[in-house]
Amino acid sequence: LTAIGFGIVTTTTTIFHLMALSTGPLSLTTVIMSFSMVINALSGAVLWNEKLSVLKIVGIILMFLCFVLTVRTNSSDSIVTVKWFVFAVLCSISNAAIGLLQKTHQSSEYRDELMPFLVISFIASAVISLVVYLFTSKFKHNASDSAEPNASAITEPKTSITAKPLALIVVIFLVS
């Protein structure tokens, strides 16, 4: 279950990161995503009784300082939106969950079963990615069908899965 959860949060981190990058600035997205390290450092102290070293505390303070210094104060200069901020925060939370699940697995009695953990994680991630791909390509296909005939030439081309690339993906997946 931990491996499946790891696959889920790995995939959601990637999805939310791409969504944040497509709706907002790279610089602020990176800063907010990096906040996940603060969550991991604090959770280590709270959940696993790890010591917060002076270096970790300085790093946390610098992360907050970096965020404060990158925020624009003039509302007319604002380059961020609520949509972007939600994606960036969800990306950071799911990125923190990656570290938490890694620590949970490596602290458990199953820590020596790293390869099965990773294989199950990657299978879960691949299945989720395929489902998201099929869902979004179906959504794009339906949206282009309802558009005006002349407008469809301007929109993205329809996506379909053909047998040859799908077979190649399956072969690569099985070999690896």
Side-chain angles (χ1 to χ4, degrees), residues 61-99:
I61 292 168
L62 288 174
M63 282 298 305
F64 282 109
L65 183 62
C66 180
F67 183 72
V68 168
L69 291 175
T70 57
V71 174
R72 294 179 181 230
T73 55
N74 187 350
S75 61
S76 65
D77 280 347
S78 181
I79 56 174
V80 300
T81 63
V82 172
K83 182 179 179 180
W84 163 80
F85 185 73
V86 168
F87 290 148
V89 168
L90 290 173
C91 176
S92 183
I93 291 168
S94 50
N95 196 41
I98 290 173

PDB file of all heavy atoms in Angstrom, residues 61-99:
ATOM      1  N   ILE A  61      14.642  28.989   7.454  1.00  0.00           N
ATOM      2  CA  ILE A  61      14.541  30.452   7.498  1.00  0.00           C
ATOM      3  C   ILE A  61      14.849  31.047   6.118  1.00  0.00           C
ATOM      4  O   ILE A  61      14.146  31.946   5.643  1.00  0.00           O
ATOM      5  CB  ILE A  61      15.475  31.032   8.582  1.00  0.00           C
ATOM      6  CG1 ILE A  61      14.962  30.637   9.974  1.00  0.00           C
ATOM      7  CG2 ILE A  61      15.602  32.548   8.458  1.00  0.00           C
ATOM      8  CD1 ILE A  61      15.942  30.913  11.098  1.00  0.00           C
ATOM      9  N   LEU A  62      15.867  30.526   5.452  1.00  0.00           N
ATOM     10  CA  LEU A  62      16.220  31.023   4.117  1.00  0.00           C
ATOM     11  C   LEU A  62      15.117  30.727   3.098  1.00  0.00           C
ATOM     12  O   LEU A  62      14.886  31.538   2.192  1.00  0.00           O
ATOM     13  CB  LEU A  62      17.552  30.427   3.662  1.00  0.00           C
ATOM     14  CG  LEU A  62      18.791  30.954   4.383  1.00  0.00           C
ATOM     15  CD1 LEU A  62      20.034  30.190   3.945  1.00  0.00           C
ATOM     16  CD2 LEU A  62      18.953  32.447   4.139  1.00  0.00           C
ATOM     17  N   MET A  63      14.446  29.588   3.231  1.00  0.00           N
ATOM     18  CA  MET A  63      13.325  29.279   2.333  1.00  0.00           C
ATOM     19  C   MET A  63      12.218  30.324   2.482  1.00  0.00           C
ATOM     20  O   MET A  63      11.677  30.817   1.492  1.00  0.00           O
ATOM     21  CB  MET A  63      12.755  27.885   2.621  1.00  0.00           C
ATOM     22  CG  MET A  63      13.567  26.745   2.070  1.00  0.00           C
ATOM     23  SD  MET A  63      13.685  26.762   0.283  1.00  0.00           S
ATOM     24  CE  MET A  63      11.985  26.785  -0.189  1.00  0.00           C
ATOM     25  N   PHE A  64      11.864  30.641   3.733  1.00  0.00           N
ATOM     26  CA  PHE A  64      10.831  31.656   3.958  1.00  0.00           C
ATOM     27  C   PHE A  64      11.291  33.019   3.451  1.00  0.00           C
ATOM     28  O   PHE A  64      10.515  33.757   2.840  1.00  0.00           O
ATOM     29  CB  PHE A  64      10.440  31.721   5.442  1.00  0.00           C
ATOM     30  CG  PHE A  64       9.533  30.613   5.868  1.00  0.00           C
ATOM     31  CD1 PHE A  64       9.995  29.602   6.694  1.00  0.00           C
ATOM     32  CD2 PHE A  64       8.212  30.553   5.423  1.00  0.00           C
ATOM     33  CE1 PHE A  64       9.156  28.566   7.083  1.00  0.00           C
ATOM     34  CE2 PHE A  64       7.371  29.518   5.804  1.00  0.00           C
ATOM     35  CZ  PHE A  64       7.850  28.526   6.634  1.00  0.00           C
ATOM     36  N   LEU A  65      12.547  33.349   3.679  1.00  0.00           N
ATOM     37  CA  LEU A  65      13.094  34.620   3.207  1.00  0.00           C
ATOM     38  C   LEU A  65      13.064  34.680   1.678  1.00  0.00           C
ATOM     39  O   LEU A  65      12.693  35.712   1.098  1.00  0.00           O
ATOM     40  CB  LEU A  65      14.519  34.802   3.723  1.00  0.00           C
ATOM     41  CG  LEU A  65      15.205  36.113   3.371  1.00  0.00           C
ATOM     42  CD1 LEU A  65      14.450  37.293   3.984  1.00  0.00           C
ATOM     43  CD2 LEU A  65      16.640  36.098   3.853  1.00  0.00           C
ATOM     44  N   CYS A  66      13.408  33.599   1.039  1.00  0.00           N
ATOM     45  CA  CYS A  66      13.370  33.534  -0.427  1.00  0.00           C
ATOM     46  C   CYS A  66      11.955  33.787  -0.943  1.00  0.00           C
ATOM     47  O   CYS A  66      11.751  34.541  -1.895  1.00  0.00           O
ATOM     48  CB  CYS A  66      13.862  32.162  -0.885  1.00  0.00           C
ATOM     49  SG  CYS A  66      13.878  31.944  -2.664  1.00  0.00           S
ATOM     50  N   PHE A  67      10.977  33.181  -0.297  1.00  0.00           N
ATOM     51  CA  PHE A  67       9.595  33.381  -0.714  1.00  0.00           C
ATOM     52  C   PHE A  67       9.167  34.830  -0.519  1.00  0.00           C
ATOM     53  O   PHE A  67       8.565  35.427  -1.402  1.00  0.00           O
ATOM     54  CB  PHE A  67       8.660  32.444   0.045  1.00  0.00           C
ATOM     55  CG  PHE A  67       7.231  32.552  -0.395  1.00  0.00           C
ATOM     56  CD1 PHE A  67       6.829  32.050  -1.613  1.00  0.00           C
ATOM     57  CD2 PHE A  67       6.286  33.178   0.405  1.00  0.00           C
ATOM     58  CE1 PHE A  67       5.515  32.159  -2.038  1.00  0.00           C
ATOM     59  CE2 PHE A  67       4.975  33.289  -0.007  1.00  0.00           C
ATOM     60  CZ  PHE A  67       4.589  32.780  -1.231  1.00  0.00           C
ATOM     61  N   VAL A  68       9.498  35.404   0.625  1.00  0.00           N
ATOM     62  CA  VAL A  68       9.123  36.788   0.910  1.00  0.00           C
ATOM     63  C   VAL A  68       9.759  37.741  -0.101  1.00  0.00           C
ATOM     64  O   VAL A  68       9.110  38.675  -0.582  1.00  0.00           O
ATOM     65  CB  VAL A  68       9.530  37.173   2.358  1.00  0.00           C
ATOM     66  CG1 VAL A  68       9.411  38.670   2.585  1.00  0.00           C
ATOM     67  CG2 VAL A  68       8.680  36.409   3.365  1.00  0.00           C
ATOM     68  N   LEU A  69      10.998  37.489  -0.461  1.00  0.00           N
ATOM     69  CA  LEU A  69      11.699  38.378  -1.388  1.00  0.00           C
ATOM     70  C   LEU A  69      11.204  38.241  -2.831  1.00  0.00           C
ATOM     71  O   LEU A  69      11.389  39.149  -3.631  1.00  0.00           O
ATOM     72  CB  LEU A  69      13.208  38.121  -1.335  1.00  0.00           C
ATOM     73  CG  LEU A  69      13.888  38.536  -0.038  1.00  0.00           C
ATOM     74  CD1 LEU A  69      15.355  38.119  -0.054  1.00  0.00           C
ATOM     75  CD2 LEU A  69      13.755  40.029   0.216  1.00  0.00           C
ATOM     76  N   THR A  70      10.578  37.122  -3.174  1.00  0.00           N
ATOM     77  CA  THR A  70      10.117  36.937  -4.554  1.00  0.00           C
ATOM     78  C   THR A  70       8.672  37.359  -4.764  1.00  0.00           C
ATOM     79  O   THR A  70       8.231  37.480  -5.901  1.00  0.00           O
ATOM     80  CB  THR A  70      10.253  35.464  -4.999  1.00  0.00           C
ATOM     81  OG1 THR A  70       9.532  34.637  -4.094  1.00  0.00           O
ATOM     82  CG2 THR A  70      11.697  35.049  -5.067  1.00  0.00           C
ATOM     83  N   VAL A  71       7.947  37.614  -3.693  1.00  0.00           N
ATOM     84  CA  VAL A  71       6.549  38.029  -3.825  1.00  0.00           C
ATOM     85  C   VAL A  71       6.493  39.472  -4.277  1.00  0.00           C
ATOM     86  O   VAL A  71       7.162  40.333  -3.726  1.00  0.00           O
ATOM     87  CB  VAL A  71       5.789  37.849  -2.487  1.00  0.00           C
ATOM     88  CG1 VAL A  71       4.391  38.417  -2.575  1.00  0.00           C
ATOM     89  CG2 VAL A  71       5.743  36.392  -2.099  1.00  0.00           C
ATOM     90  N   ARG A  72       5.681  39.733  -5.291  1.00  0.00           N
ATOM     91  CA  ARG A  72       5.523  41.101  -5.791  1.00  0.00           C
ATOM     92  C   ARG A  72       4.527  41.849  -4.910  1.00  0.00           C
ATOM     93  O   ARG A  72       3.487  41.316  -4.555  1.00  0.00           O
ATOM     94  CB  ARG A  72       5.035  41.090  -7.229  1.00  0.00           C
ATOM     95  CG  ARG A  72       6.076  40.513  -8.165  1.00  0.00           C
ATOM     96  CD  ARG A  72       5.539  40.502  -9.568  1.00  0.00           C
ATOM     97  NE  ARG A  72       6.526  39.927 -10.446  1.00  0.00           N
ATOM     98  CZ  ARG A  72       6.926  40.492 -11.562  1.00  0.00           C
ATOM     99  NH1 ARG A  72       6.428  41.624 -11.954  1.00  0.00           N
ATOM    100  NH2 ARG A  72       7.820  39.912 -12.303  1.00  0.00           N
ATOM    101  N   THR A  73       4.842  43.086  -4.616  1.00  0.00           N
ATOM    102  CA  THR A  73       3.971  43.858  -3.746  1.00  0.00           C
ATOM    103  C   THR A  73       2.963  44.697  -4.526  1.00  0.00           C
ATOM    104  O   THR A  73       1.901  45.007  -4.027  1.00  0.00           O
ATOM    105  CB  THR A  73       4.795  44.794  -2.837  1.00  0.00           C
ATOM    106  OG1 THR A  73       5.635  45.602  -3.660  1.00  0.00           O
ATOM    107  CG2 THR A  73       5.652  43.984  -1.889  1.00  0.00           C
ATOM    108  N   ASN A  74       3.263  45.060  -5.748  1.00  0.00           N
ATOM    109  CA  ASN A  74       2.366  45.874  -6.553  1.00  0.00           C
ATOM    110  C   ASN A  74       1.361  44.963  -7.251  1.00  0.00           C
ATOM    111  O   ASN A  74       1.730  44.109  -8.041  1.00  0.00           O
ATOM    112  CB  ASN A  74       3.177  46.679  -7.584  1.00  0.00           C
ATOM    113  CG  ASN A  74       2.316  47.669  -8.334  1.00  0.00           C
ATOM    114  OD1 ASN A  74       1.097  47.656  -8.235  1.00  0.00           O
ATOM    115  ND2 ASN A  74       2.973  48.528  -9.105  1.00  0.00           N
ATOM    116  N   SER A  75       0.072  45.128  -6.964  1.00  0.00           N
ATOM    117  CA  SER A  75      -0.939  44.226  -7.517  1.00  0.00           C
ATOM    118  C   SER A  75      -1.028  44.314  -9.035  1.00  0.00           C
ATOM    119  O   SER A  75      -1.398  43.355  -9.690  1.00  0.00           O
ATOM    120  CB  SER A  75      -2.309  44.506  -6.888  1.00  0.00           C
ATOM    121  OG  SER A  75      -2.715  45.824  -7.170  1.00  0.00           O
ATOM    122  N   SER A  76      -0.676  45.460  -9.614  1.00  0.00           N
ATOM    123  CA  SER A  76      -0.724  45.561 -11.072  1.00  0.00           C
ATOM    124  C   SER A  76       0.420  44.783 -11.729  1.00  0.00           C
ATOM    125  O   SER A  76       0.349  44.446 -12.895  1.00  0.00           O
ATOM    126  CB  SER A  76      -0.676  47.027 -11.511  1.00  0.00           C
ATOM    127  OG  SER A  76       0.570  47.587 -11.154  1.00  0.00           O
ATOM    128  N   ASP A  77       1.472  44.502 -10.965  1.00  0.00           N
ATOM    129  CA  ASP A  77       2.595  43.717 -11.473  1.00  0.00           C
ATOM    130  C   ASP A  77       2.414  42.226 -11.237  1.00  0.00           C
ATOM    131  O   ASP A  77       3.273  41.446 -11.613  1.00  0.00           O
ATOM    132  CB  ASP A  77       3.899  44.137 -10.781  1.00  0.00           C
ATOM    133  CG  ASP A  77       4.473  45.405 -11.371  1.00  0.00           C
ATOM    134  OD1 ASP A  77       4.007  45.805 -12.453  1.00  0.00           O
ATOM    135  OD2 ASP A  77       5.384  45.968 -10.744  1.00  0.00           O
ATOM    136  N   SER A  78       1.337  41.844 -10.603  1.00  0.00           N
ATOM    137  CA  SER A  78       1.167  40.450 -10.200  1.00  0.00           C
ATOM    138  C   SER A  78       1.179  39.513 -11.402  1.00  0.00           C
ATOM    139  O   SER A  78       0.505  39.738 -12.395  1.00  0.00           O
ATOM    140  CB  SER A  78      -0.144  40.285  -9.433  1.00  0.00           C
ATOM    141  OG  SER A  78      -0.285  38.944  -9.037  1.00  0.00           O
ATOM    142  N   ILE A  79       1.984  38.474 -11.298  1.00  0.00           N
ATOM    143  CA  ILE A  79       2.070  37.490 -12.363  1.00  0.00           C
ATOM    144  C   ILE A  79       1.491  36.148 -11.925  1.00  0.00           C
ATOM    145  O   ILE A  79       1.609  35.168 -12.630  1.00  0.00           O
ATOM    146  CB  ILE A  79       3.535  37.298 -12.817  1.00  0.00           C
ATOM    147  CG1 ILE A  79       4.413  36.913 -11.638  1.00  0.00           C
ATOM    148  CG2 ILE A  79       4.037  38.524 -13.523  1.00  0.00           C
ATOM    149  CD1 ILE A  79       5.833  36.557 -12.017  1.00  0.00           C
ATOM    150  N   VAL A  80       0.878  36.143 -10.752  1.00  0.00           N
ATOM    151  CA  VAL A  80       0.330  34.894 -10.226  1.00  0.00           C
ATOM    152  C   VAL A  80      -1.192  34.963 -10.188  1.00  0.00           C
ATOM    153  O   VAL A  80      -1.773  36.044 -10.134  1.00  0.00           O
ATOM    154  CB  VAL A  80       0.880  34.574  -8.824  1.00  0.00           C
ATOM    155  CG1 VAL A  80       2.383  34.428  -8.856  1.00  0.00           C
ATOM    156  CG2 VAL A  80       0.472  35.617  -7.811  1.00  0.00           C
ATOM    157  N   THR A  81      -1.787  33.797 -10.236  1.00  0.00           N
ATOM    158  CA  THR A  81      -3.238  33.684 -10.137  1.00  0.00           C
ATOM    159  C   THR A  81      -3.571  32.692  -9.027  1.00  0.00           C
ATOM    160  O   THR A  81      -2.704  31.931  -8.577  1.00  0.00           O
ATOM    161  CB  THR A  81      -3.837  33.172 -11.457  1.00  0.00           C
ATOM    162  OG1 THR A  81      -3.338  31.848 -11.700  1.00  0.00           O
ATOM    163  CG2 THR A  81      -3.499  34.088 -12.629  1.00  0.00           C
ATOM    164  N   VAL A  82      -4.811  32.692  -8.616  1.00  0.00           N
ATOM    165  CA  VAL A  82      -5.264  31.741  -7.605  1.00  0.00           C
ATOM    166  C   VAL A  82      -5.113  30.318  -8.139  1.00  0.00           C
ATOM    167  O   VAL A  82      -4.664  29.415  -7.423  1.00  0.00           O
ATOM    168  CB  VAL A  82      -6.728  32.027  -7.189  1.00  0.00           C
ATOM    169  CG1 VAL A  82      -7.260  30.930  -6.288  1.00  0.00           C
ATOM    170  CG2 VAL A  82      -6.831  33.385  -6.518  1.00  0.00           C
ATOM    171  N   LYS A  83      -5.448  30.121  -9.402  1.00  0.00           N
ATOM    172  CA  LYS A  83      -5.334  28.796 -10.030  1.00  0.00           C
ATOM    173  C   LYS A  83      -3.886  28.304  -9.954  1.00  0.00           C
ATOM    174  O   LYS A  83      -3.623  27.170  -9.559  1.00  0.00           O
ATOM    175  CB  LYS A  83      -5.804  28.897 -11.487  1.00  0.00           C
ATOM    176  CG  LYS A  83      -5.782  27.615 -12.255  1.00  0.00           C
ATOM    177  CD  LYS A  83      -6.306  27.869 -13.671  1.00  0.00           C
ATOM    178  CE  LYS A  83      -6.297  26.637 -14.522  1.00  0.00           C
ATOM    179  NZ  LYS A  83      -6.795  26.892 -15.880  1.00  0.00           N
ATOM    180  N   TRP A  84      -2.945  29.167 -10.326  1.00  0.00           N
ATOM    181  CA  TRP A  84      -1.538  28.800 -10.252  1.00  0.00           C
ATOM    182  C   TRP A  84      -1.140  28.471  -8.824  1.00  0.00           C
ATOM    183  O   TRP A  84      -0.466  27.468  -8.574  1.00  0.00           O
ATOM    184  CB  TRP A  84      -0.652  29.931 -10.782  1.00  0.00           C
ATOM    185  CG  TRP A  84       0.770  29.734 -10.341  1.00  0.00           C
ATOM    186  CD1 TRP A  84       1.691  28.903 -10.900  1.00  0.00           C
ATOM    187  CD2 TRP A  84       1.392  30.322  -9.205  1.00  0.00           C
ATOM    188  NE1 TRP A  84       2.864  28.952 -10.182  1.00  0.00           N
ATOM    189  CE2 TRP A  84       2.699  29.823  -9.133  1.00  0.00           C
ATOM    190  CE3 TRP A  84       0.976  31.244  -8.235  1.00  0.00           C
ATOM    191  CZ2 TRP A  84       3.598  30.199  -8.138  1.00  0.00           C
ATOM    192  CZ3 TRP A  84       1.864  31.616  -7.251  1.00  0.00           C
ATOM    193  CH2 TRP A  84       3.156  31.096  -7.209  1.00  0.00           C
ATOM    194  N   PHE A  85      -1.551  29.314  -7.871  1.00  0.00           N
ATOM    195  CA  PHE A  85      -1.161  29.117  -6.473  1.00  0.00           C
ATOM    196  C   PHE A  85      -1.669  27.781  -5.949  1.00  0.00           C
ATOM    197  O   PHE A  85      -0.946  27.067  -5.245  1.00  0.00           O
ATOM    198  CB  PHE A  85      -1.670  30.278  -5.608  1.00  0.00           C
ATOM    199  CG  PHE A  85      -1.199  30.206  -4.189  1.00  0.00           C
ATOM    200  CD1 PHE A  85       0.123  30.479  -3.877  1.00  0.00           C
ATOM    201  CD2 PHE A  85      -2.074  29.865  -3.168  1.00  0.00           C
ATOM    202  CE1 PHE A  85       0.573  30.405  -2.566  1.00  0.00           C
ATOM    203  CE2 PHE A  85      -1.632  29.788  -1.858  1.00  0.00           C
ATOM    204  CZ  PHE A  85      -0.307  30.064  -1.553  1.00  0.00           C
ATOM    205  N   VAL A  86      -2.898  27.415  -6.285  1.00  0.00           N
ATOM    206  CA  VAL A  86      -3.453  26.124  -5.856  1.00  0.00           C
ATOM    207  C   VAL A  86      -2.616  24.978  -6.428  1.00  0.00           C
ATOM    208  O   VAL A  86      -2.246  24.042  -5.704  1.00  0.00           O
ATOM    209  CB  VAL A  86      -4.944  25.998  -6.262  1.00  0.00           C
ATOM    210  CG1 VAL A  86      -5.452  24.579  -6.083  1.00  0.00           C
ATOM    211  CG2 VAL A  86      -5.791  26.983  -5.464  1.00  0.00           C
ATOM    212  N   PHE A  87      -2.287  25.043  -7.717  1.00  0.00           N
ATOM    213  CA  PHE A  87      -1.469  23.997  -8.333  1.00  0.00           C
ATOM    214  C   PHE A  87      -0.093  23.925  -7.675  1.00  0.00           C
ATOM    215  O   PHE A  87       0.432  22.831  -7.415  1.00  0.00           O
ATOM    216  CB  PHE A  87      -1.313  24.221  -9.835  1.00  0.00           C
ATOM    217  CG  PHE A  87      -2.567  24.010 -10.632  1.00  0.00           C
ATOM    218  CD1 PHE A  87      -2.797  24.755 -11.774  1.00  0.00           C
ATOM    219  CD2 PHE A  87      -3.516  23.071 -10.268  1.00  0.00           C
ATOM    220  CE1 PHE A  87      -3.942  24.560 -12.534  1.00  0.00           C
ATOM    221  CE2 PHE A  87      -4.663  22.872 -11.006  1.00  0.00           C
ATOM    222  CZ  PHE A  87      -4.885  23.625 -12.144  1.00  0.00           C
ATOM    223  N   ALA A  88       0.517  25.068  -7.407  1.00  0.00           N
ATOM    224  CA  ALA A  88       1.852  25.095  -6.805  1.00  0.00           C
ATOM    225  C   ALA A  88       1.829  24.519  -5.387  1.00  0.00           C
ATOM    226  O   ALA A  88       2.728  23.760  -5.010  1.00  0.00           O
ATOM    227  CB  ALA A  88       2.396  26.526  -6.793  1.00  0.00           C
ATOM    228  N   VAL A  89       0.810  24.857  -4.604  1.00  0.00           N
ATOM    229  CA  VAL A  89       0.714  24.327  -3.243  1.00  0.00           C
ATOM    230  C   VAL A  89       0.437  22.822  -3.271  1.00  0.00           C
ATOM    231  O   VAL A  89       1.041  22.054  -2.508  1.00  0.00           O
ATOM    232  CB  VAL A  89      -0.372  25.082  -2.436  1.00  0.00           C
ATOM    233  CG1 VAL A  89      -0.693  24.379  -1.138  1.00  0.00           C
ATOM    234  CG2 VAL A  89       0.089  26.518  -2.164  1.00  0.00           C
ATOM    235  N   LEU A  90      -0.454  22.377  -4.157  1.00  0.00           N
ATOM    236  CA  LEU A  90      -0.713  20.935  -4.278  1.00  0.00           C
ATOM    237  C   LEU A  90       0.543  20.189  -4.727  1.00  0.00           C
ATOM    238  O   LEU A  90       0.813  19.077  -4.256  1.00  0.00           O
ATOM    239  CB  LEU A  90      -1.870  20.683  -5.243  1.00  0.00           C
ATOM    240  CG  LEU A  90      -3.254  21.097  -4.737  1.00  0.00           C
ATOM    241  CD1 LEU A  90      -4.291  20.968  -5.849  1.00  0.00           C
ATOM    242  CD2 LEU A  90      -3.651  20.282  -3.519  1.00  0.00           C
ATOM    243  N   CYS A  91       1.321  20.799  -5.589  1.00  0.00           N
ATOM    244  CA  CYS A  91       2.591  20.211  -6.016  1.00  0.00           C
ATOM    245  C   CYS A  91       3.537  20.071  -4.826  1.00  0.00           C
ATOM    246  O   CYS A  91       4.167  19.025  -4.638  1.00  0.00           O
ATOM    247  CB  CYS A  91       3.219  21.079  -7.109  1.00  0.00           C
ATOM    248  SG  CYS A  91       4.839  20.526  -7.633  1.00  0.00           S
ATOM    249  N   SER A  92       3.616  21.103  -4.018  1.00  0.00           N
ATOM    250  CA  SER A  92       4.496  21.075  -2.857  1.00  0.00           C
ATOM    251  C   SER A  92       4.058  20.025  -1.845  1.00  0.00           C
ATOM    252  O   SER A  92       4.885  19.283  -1.300  1.00  0.00           O
ATOM    253  CB  SER A  92       4.532  22.456  -2.202  1.00  0.00           C
ATOM    254  OG  SER A  92       5.427  22.459  -1.117  1.00  0.00           O
ATOM    255  N   ILE A  93       2.763  19.946  -1.606  1.00  0.00           N
ATOM    256  CA  ILE A  93       2.244  18.959  -0.651  1.00  0.00           C
ATOM    257  C   ILE A  93       2.496  17.535  -1.139  1.00  0.00           C
ATOM    258  O   ILE A  93       2.950  16.673  -0.375  1.00  0.00           O
ATOM    259  CB  ILE A  93       0.745  19.195  -0.384  1.00  0.00           C
ATOM    260  CG1 ILE A  93       0.552  20.501   0.391  1.00  0.00           C
ATOM    261  CG2 ILE A  93       0.120  18.024   0.361  1.00  0.00           C
ATOM    262  CD1 ILE A  93      -0.883  20.979   0.471  1.00  0.00           C
ATOM    263  N   SER A  94       2.230  17.284  -2.420  1.00  0.00           N
ATOM    264  CA  SER A  94       2.452  15.927  -2.913  1.00  0.00           C
ATOM    265  C   SER A  94       3.946  15.616  -3.010  1.00  0.00           C
ATOM    266  O   SER A  94       4.359  14.476  -2.813  1.00  0.00           O
ATOM    267  CB  SER A  94       1.733  15.682  -4.239  1.00  0.00           C
ATOM    268  OG  SER A  94       1.983  16.671  -5.172  1.00  0.00           O
ATOM    269  N   ASN A  95       4.775  16.617  -3.255  1.00  0.00           N
ATOM    270  CA  ASN A  95       6.221  16.403  -3.239  1.00  0.00           C
ATOM    271  C   ASN A  95       6.694  16.064  -1.827  1.00  0.00           C
ATOM    272  O   ASN A  95       7.560  15.204  -1.651  1.00  0.00           O
ATOM    273  CB  ASN A  95       6.951  17.636  -3.775  1.00  0.00           C
ATOM    274  CG  ASN A  95       8.376  17.349  -4.138  1.00  0.00           C
ATOM    275  OD1 ASN A  95       8.687  16.314  -4.707  1.00  0.00           O
ATOM    276  ND2 ASN A  95       9.263  18.277  -3.815  1.00  0.00           N
ATOM    277  N   ALA A  96       6.126  16.720  -0.827  1.00  0.00           N
ATOM    278  CA  ALA A  96       6.453  16.391   0.566  1.00  0.00           C
ATOM    279  C   ALA A  96       6.011  14.973   0.896  1.00  0.00           C
ATOM    280  O   ALA A  96       6.704  14.241   1.616  1.00  0.00           O
ATOM    281  CB  ALA A  96       5.792  17.386   1.517  1.00  0.00           C
ATOM    282  N   ALA A  97       4.875  14.561   0.344  1.00  0.00           N
ATOM    283  CA  ALA A  97       4.376  13.207   0.598  1.00  0.00           C
ATOM    284  C   ALA A  97       5.337  12.152   0.049  1.00  0.00           C
ATOM    285  O   ALA A  97       5.447  11.058   0.612  1.00  0.00           O
ATOM    286  CB  ALA A  97       2.987  13.030  -0.012  1.00  0.00           C
ATOM    287  N   ILE A  98       6.051  12.476  -1.036  1.00  0.00           N
ATOM    288  CA  ILE A  98       7.054  11.540  -1.565  1.00  0.00           C
ATOM    289  C   ILE A  98       8.101  11.263  -0.490  1.00  0.00           C
ATOM    290  O   ILE A  98       8.419  10.108  -0.192  1.00  0.00           O
ATOM    291  CB  ILE A  98       7.726  12.108  -2.837  1.00  0.00           C
ATOM    292  CG1 ILE A  98       6.744  12.122  -4.003  1.00  0.00           C
ATOM    293  CG2 ILE A  98       8.973  11.296  -3.201  1.00  0.00           C
ATOM    294  CD1 ILE A  98       7.268  12.817  -5.247  1.00  0.00           C
ATOM    295  N   GLY A  99       8.631  12.320   0.102  1.00  0.00           N
ATOM    296  CA  GLY A  99       9.632  12.149   1.152  1.00  0.00           C
ATOM    297  C   GLY A  99       9.092  11.432   2.371  1.00  0.00           C
ATOM    298  O   GLY A  99       9.769  10.584   2.964  1.00  0.00           O
TER     299      GLY A  99
END
